[in-house]
């Protein structure tokens, strides 16, 4: 055998990157690589030709396949969408809970309670200036509590609008990368594109965590992706998400749309689904309820207060500023904040010591002017709803994390690299090759003897 | 003992049979080379079994041929302990020497081919065994790094498996 033959053989052996040993080597070196799927070589019809000059070997169809369980992979993509939603909900819902801040010294519930209590105190001693000053303070504290909740919810909703824009950018970026991969997969031979498929799967995992998406595999590993009834990607088409914002009373509501098409995607799952629902449904709903409370308290208290008489015998005065349109601008009438003698406590003209009107207002605590409920009960309903959402989401998130852990374990048991398994494979190869080498020695010795007999 | 003509005919027949086996062996060895390159252990095992069986048959037939050659050599007056075909052909002059010459040349050519493939296969196996040895070393490197690391007495640090295939000198 000439020197060039030996070099040729070594080169062939080294160039054979699709060989089982190369696959094993790749598996081992990627044991800690996220998203890497174990490789296995498939042998189908390789060729060898021994030419007149040296050796000419060709490997036609020896292909590498990724070990994977398609059902588990598809299930992970599906469950990712729930996980993304629950994870985002779990970050934001507790913030809503914190905004209401129950139970707490400065909470709305406590402020309401102190406000009604101050009217009770005034009913007992209507001419007491200290009680009047305290009542006005409590009214201001109540209005501030409403304003704070309103303002904090607004900040949160507006922050979520920014997050939606960021998330849409991220999704468009991933779609762009998947589009490139779709294009590359069209021109690559099956069996040589495993790294691209790993990258595709990583991107799909990322995408499905961000948005609800139905993924269908088409020719050569390319994908079709639809979301909420709208096509986002196919091998010959790429859509882009965009955000449209609407600002009302300082509240920014964001709507996600597609650039190509008139149908708005229905976003129910994934991080974006969570953000959109929080931004356009959940937070606006709480804001509306808090606003309704502020407006109703203002109207009910003013309505009674206007019929009463203050220490100067004047009637028809509003306790709260009647121009209130939401919890955000609720406040005590400015005149009363400057002079608490203007507070009406008597229901009869000329009877300054009569506290009947103050008592009537204190009794509003038990009046069912909020959709047939008392203010306390209505507010409790809001707090219970927020608490339930947080608790339910925590439960769902914990369950979903368990589901995902199980699925990932299943995926790893099929696709993951085990050093023990690779080691076992190598030892199997080692033993087989050593046996083959011994047989070559035997054959060589026999041929030498036979050659001597010629 | 039969006469020289009969022995020569018998020898020709055995040589033809042997040549057929060499050709079959060369074919098996080529197939084996493919399986080594493709690391297809299942096929490699199958071809090795065929090769081993054929080698046993060849060795048996070569033994028969050797006895025939010795007998013929004695009849033709050769006194050498080792009788080769070339020596026998040189002593034959009844026209059969041409047939034997063709057979000998063909056998020599096949044997050279087999030796060539064997050398190539030996190289390929050497390379494969070396690669596996290195990979086993790499895995053992992982194992070593996965063990807890002690820096100070009583201090246990979490393992840091940082060894990769690229850290290994090949």
């Amino acid at each position: 055998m000439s020197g060039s033959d030996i070099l040729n053989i070594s080169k062939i052996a080294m160039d054979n990157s699709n060989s089982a040993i190369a696959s094993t080597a790749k598996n081992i070196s990627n044991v800690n690589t996220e998203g890497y799927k174990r490789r296995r070589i498939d042998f189908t019809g390789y060729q060898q030709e021994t030419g007149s000059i040296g050796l000419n070997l060709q490997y036609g169809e020896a292909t590498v396949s990724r070990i994977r369980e398609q059902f588990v992979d598809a299930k992970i993509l599906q469950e990712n969408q729930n996980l993304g939603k629950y994870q985002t909900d779990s970050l934001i819902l507790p913030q809503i809970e914190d905004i209401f801040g129950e139970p707490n010294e400065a909470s709305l519930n406590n402020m309401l309670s102190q406000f009604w209590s101050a009217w009770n105190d005034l009913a007992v001693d209507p001419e007491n200036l200290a009680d009047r000053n305290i009542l006005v303070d409590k009214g201001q504290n109540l209005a501030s509590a409403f304003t704070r909740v309103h303002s904090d919810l607004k900040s949160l909703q507006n922050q979520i609008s920014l997050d939606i824009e960021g998330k849409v950018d991220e999704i468009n970026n991933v779609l762009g990368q998947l589009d490139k991969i779709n294009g590359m997969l069209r021109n690559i031979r099956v069996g040589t594109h495993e790294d691209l498929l790993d990258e595709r799967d990583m991107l799909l995992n990322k995408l499905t965590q961000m948005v609800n998406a139905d993924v269908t595999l088409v020719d050569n590993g390319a994908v079709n992706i639809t979301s909420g009834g709208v096509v986002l990607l196919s091998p010959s088409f790429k859509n882009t998400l965009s955000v449209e914002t609407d600002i009302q009373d300082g509240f920014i509501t964001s709507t996600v749309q597609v650039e190509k098409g008139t149908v708005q995607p229905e976003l129910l799952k994934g991080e974006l689904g969570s953000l959109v629902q929080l931004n356009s449904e959940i937070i606006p709903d709480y804001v509306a309820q808090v606003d309704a409370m502020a407006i109703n308290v203002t109207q009910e208290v003013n309505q009674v207060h206007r019929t009463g008489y203050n220490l100067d015998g004047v009637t028809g005065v509003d306790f709260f500023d009647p121009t209130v349109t939401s919890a955000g601008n609720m406040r005590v009438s400015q005149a009363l904040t400057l002079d608490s003698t203007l507070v009406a406590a008597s229901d009869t003209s000329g009877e300054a010591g009569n506290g009947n009107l103050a008592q009537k207002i204190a009794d509003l605590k038990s009046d069912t002017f909020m959709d047939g409920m008392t203010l306390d009960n209505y507010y409790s309903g809001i707090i219970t709803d927020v608490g339930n959402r947080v608790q339910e989401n925590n439960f769902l998130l914990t369950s979903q994390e368990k589901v995902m852990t199980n699925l990932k374990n299943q995926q790893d048991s099929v696709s993951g690299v085990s050093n023990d398994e690779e080691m076992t494979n190598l030892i199997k190869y080692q033993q087989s090759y050593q046996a083959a080498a011994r047989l070559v020695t035997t054959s060589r010795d026999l041929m030498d003897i036979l050659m001597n007999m010629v | 003992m039969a006469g020289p003509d009969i022995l020569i005919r018998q020898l020709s027949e055995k040589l033809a049979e042997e040549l057929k086996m060499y050709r079959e062996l060369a074919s098996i060895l080529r197939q084996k080379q493919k399986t080594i390159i493709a690391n297809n252990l299942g096929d490699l095992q199958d071809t090795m079994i065929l090769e081993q069986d054929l080698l046993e048959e060849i060795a048996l037939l070569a033994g028969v041929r050797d006895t025939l050659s010795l007998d013929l050599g004695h009849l033709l007056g050769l006194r050498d302990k080792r009788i080769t075909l070339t020596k026998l052909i040189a002593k034959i002059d009844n026209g059969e020497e041409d047939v034997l010459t063709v057979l000998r040349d063909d056998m020599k050519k096949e044997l050279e081919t087999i030796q060539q493939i064997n050398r190539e296969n030996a190289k390929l196996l050497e390379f494969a065994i070396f690669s596996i040895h290195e990979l086993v070393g790499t895995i053992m490197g992982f194992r070593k790094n996965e063990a807890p690391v002690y820096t100070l007495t009583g201090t246990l640090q979490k393992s840091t498996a940082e060894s990769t295939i690229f850290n290994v000198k090949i």
Side-chain angles (χ1 to χ4, degrees):
Chain A
M1 182 163 49
S2 70
S4 64
D5 283 347
I6 293 172
L7 281 176
N8 194 23
I9 287 173
S10 297
K11 185 179 179 301
I12 287 160
M14 289 176 81
D15 284 351
N16 188 8
S17 59
N18 285 344
S19 77
I21 294 179
S23 293
T24 303
K26 191 161 190 175
N27 286 343
I28 293 169
S29 61
N30 284 288
V31 67
N32 291 322
T33 305
E34 195 194 341
Y36 178 83
K37 290 194 168 64
R38 189 155 53 99
R39 307 288 200 257
R40 180 183 59 197
I41 192 156
D42 299 326
F43 303 98
T44 47
Y46 36 85
Q47 316 164 19
Q48 175 190 321
E49 292 166 11
T50 307
S52 53
I53 305 170
L55 195 67
N56 178 22
L57 295 171
Q58 292 181 336
Y59 308 90
E61 304 298 330
T63 56
V64 176
S65 62
R66 297 148 75 237
I67 311 287
R68 53 194 287 267
E69 176 57 69
Q70 287 199 8
F71 173 77
V72 176
D73 287 357
K75 189 79 182 148
I76 285 178
L77 293 184
Q78 208 179 344
E79 296 299 337
N80 253 345
Q81 303 171 25
N82 288 328
L83 183 70
K85 181 181 186 314
Y86 300 149
Q87 278 177 336
T88 306
D89 280 351
S90 77
L91 291 174
I92 297 172
L93 288 173
Q95 290 185 49
I96 298 176
E97 204 175 27
D98 287 346
I99 287 172
F100 285 106
E102 298 294 348
N104 187 301
E105 190 80 359
S107 70
L108 201 48
N109 192 38
N110 197 34
M111 291 299 124
L112 270 170
S113 174
Q114 288 183 21
F115 179 66
W116 301 129
S117 195
W119 280 109
N120 266 326
D121 292 345
L122 189 66
V124 175
D125 189 1
E127 289 172 307
N128 188 324
L129 274 179
D131 285 348
R132 284 172 171 271
N133 288 336
I134 288 171
L135 171 67
V136 172
D137 278 350
K138 297 301 176 190
Q140 284 178 315
N141 289 347
L142 177 64
S144 297
F146 271 114
T147 309
R148 181 190 58 76
V149 169
H150 180 91
S151 162
D152 288 354
L153 286 172
K154 185 194 288 182
S155 298
L156 186 60
Q157 183 174 326
N158 294 351
Q159 178 56 48
I160 291 171
S161 272
L162 289 176
D163 290 348
I164 288 172
E165 285 185 23
K167 197 54 71 185
V168 162
D169 284 347
E170 227 177 309
I171 290 168
N172 285 337
N173 186 279
V174 171
L175 284 173
Q177 291 181 58
L178 281 166
D179 183 47
K180 277 185 192 155
I181 289 180
N182 266 359
M184 288 161 86
L185 286 170
R186 262 203 306 266
N187 306 316
I188 291 182
R189 189 166 61 86
V190 173
T192 60
H193 59 346
E194 284 63 37
D195 291 342
L196 267 184
L197 295 180
D198 275 351
E199 200 179 332
R200 179 204 68 190
D201 286 355
M202 290 275 286
L203 289 168
L204 286 175
N205 270 336
K206 209 169 164 188
L207 182 75
T208 49
Q209 187 142 355
M210 291 193 287
V211 67
N212 49 306
D214 291 322
V215 179
T216 323
L217 290 181
V218 288
D219 294 344
N220 217 15
V223 285
N224 274 338
I225 301 171
T226 58
S227 179
V230 173
V231 178
L232 294 183
L233 189 72
S234 80
S236 56
F237 173 82
K238 177 183 163 283
N239 219 329
T240 309
L241 295 180
S242 61
V243 182
E244 199 158 283
T245 54
D246 176 52
I247 306 176
Q248 297 280 338
D249 190 27
F251 284 83
I252 305 171
T253 308
S254 299
T255 317
V256 178
Q257 296 177 330
V258 283
E259 281 189 357
K260 295 172 190 166
T262 49
V263 181
Q264 197 174 307
E266 198 181 5
L267 302 170
L268 301 171
K269 292 179 181 176
E271 293 159 356
L272 187 60
S274 162
L275 292 173
V276 166
Q277 279 177 37
L278 284 159
N279 177 261
S280 61
E281 291 172 30
I282 297 172
I283 294 178
D285 193 36
Y286 288 133
V287 172
Q289 291 180 71
V290 172
D291 285 351
M293 280 176 70
I295 291 167
N296 278 329
V297 169
T298 300
Q299 287 174 349
E300 292 297 322
V301 169
N302 281 352
Q303 197 178 330
V304 180
H305 192 264
R306 277 199 302 269
T307 64
Y309 300 88
N310 60 28
L311 287 180
D312 300 327
V314 179
T315 190
V317 175
D318 283 317
F319 183 85
F320 288 111
D321 185 335
T323 60
V324 63
T325 52
S326 73
N329 58 10
M330 182 185 183
R331 57 188 173 267
V332 174
S333 294
Q334 199 180 3
L336 269 68
T337 61
L338 299 172
D339 181 6
S340 64
T341 63
L342 297 178
V343 172
S346 166
D347 63 352
T348 311
S349 176
E351 291 183 13
N354 175 340
N356 291 345
L357 187 106
Q359 190 56 55
K360 269 189 196 169
I361 293 177
D363 290 344
L364 286 175
K365 184 177 193 274
S366 313
D367 202 0
T368 54
F369 59 84
M370 290 298 305
D371 293 339
M373 285 182 271
T374 65
L375 198 68
D376 283 356
N377 287 345
Y378 185 84
Y379 183 62
S380 291
I382 299 175
I383 298 305
T384 308
D385 187 63
V386 176
N388 281 344
R389 274 184 199 273
V390 173
Q391 202 177 14
E392 188 187 355
N393 189 68
N394 284 344
F395 171 76
L396 289 170
L397 179 61
T398 309
S399 307
Q400 194 62 23
E401 281 172 343
K402 281 180 186 161
V403 168
M404 288 305 291
T405 305
N406 283 339
L407 285 171
K408 289 247 165 79
N409 285 343
Q410 281 181 47
Q411 192 181 47
D412 283 348
S413 70
V414 177
S415 308
V417 177
S418 155
N419 274 339
D420 289 341
E421 202 175 321
E422 301 301 340
M423 183 73 132
T424 309
N425 282 337
L426 286 176
I427 289 170
K428 208 161 66 182
Y429 281 114
Q430 194 175 28
Q431 288 178 343
S432 299
Y433 289 142
Q434 279 168 350
R438 278 195 295 275
L439 187 59
V440 169
T441 308
T442 308
S443 177
R444 190 185 57 203
D445 292 348
L446 180 62
M447 293 309 129
D448 287 348
I449 292 167
L450 292 171
M451 192 59 111
N452 284 333
M453 289 165 68
V454 174
Chain B
M1 188 186 296
D5 290 349
I6 295 171
L7 286 179
I8 289 170
R9 199 168 51 251
Q10 284 178 348
L11 183 61
S12 295
E13 284 169 10
K14 290 296 165 198
L15 289 177
E17 213 177 311
E18 216 175 318
L19 179 60
K20 202 176 149 194
M21 284 187 180
Y22 289 165
R23 284 180 177 147
E24 198 180 334
L25 181 64
S27 164
I28 289 173
L29 292 179
R30 281 195 193 94
Q31 180 60 30
K32 191 169 86 168
Q33 191 167 72
K34 289 181 194 172
T35 64
I36 295 169
I37 291 166
N39 292 299
N40 189 342
L41 289 192
D43 284 358
L44 177 63
Q45 200 171 352
D46 293 343
T47 52
M48 278 169 63
I49 290 168
L50 289 175
E51 182 189 357
Q52 197 156 9
D53 290 347
L54 200 57
L55 284 175
E56 282 173 17
E57 284 182 49
I58 288 171
L60 219 66
L61 198 60
V64 175
R65 191 239 300 180
D66 198 29
T67 310
L68 271 175
S69 298
L70 277 173
D71 291 348
L72 183 61
H74 287 149
L75 283 177
L76 296 174
L78 282 170
R79 295 288 171 259
D80 299 33
K81 281 187 178 175
R82 215 181 95 232
I83 307 283
T84 63
L85 284 175
T86 307
K87 286 176 185 170
L88 284 175
I89 290 167
K91 284 280 180 186
I92 297 169
D93 55 3
N94 64 351
E96 288 291 327
E97 69 269 23
D98 293 341
V99 177
L100 286 173
T101 302
V102 171
L103 281 168
R104 182 201 61 185
D105 291 349
D106 284 354
M107 277 177 66
K108 196 174 172 193
K109 201 175 148 197
E110 277 310 317
L111 281 169
E112 280 169 355
T113 303
I114 290 169
Q115 284 177 322
Q116 168 75 6
I117 301 174
N118 266 338
R119 278 195 290 274
E120 291 168 0
N121 286 352
K123 265 287 162 204
L124 287 171
L125 286 168
E126 190 186 327
F127 184 83
I129 291 168
F130 174 77
S131 303
I132 292 169
H133 178 76
E134 293 299 333
L135 284 171
V136 169
T138 306
I139 295 183
M140 295 313 283
F142 274 120
R143 292 266 160 77
K144 199 175 172 188
N145 281 352
E146 278 166 10
V149 181
Y150 294 87
T151 50
L152 291 169
T153 312
T155 309
L156 178 64
Q157 293 193 338
K158 203 176 172 188
S159 69
T160 48
E162 289 174 348
S163 189
T164 70
I165 187 82
F166 302 110
N167 298 134
V168 178
K169 192 179 171 187
I170 297 178

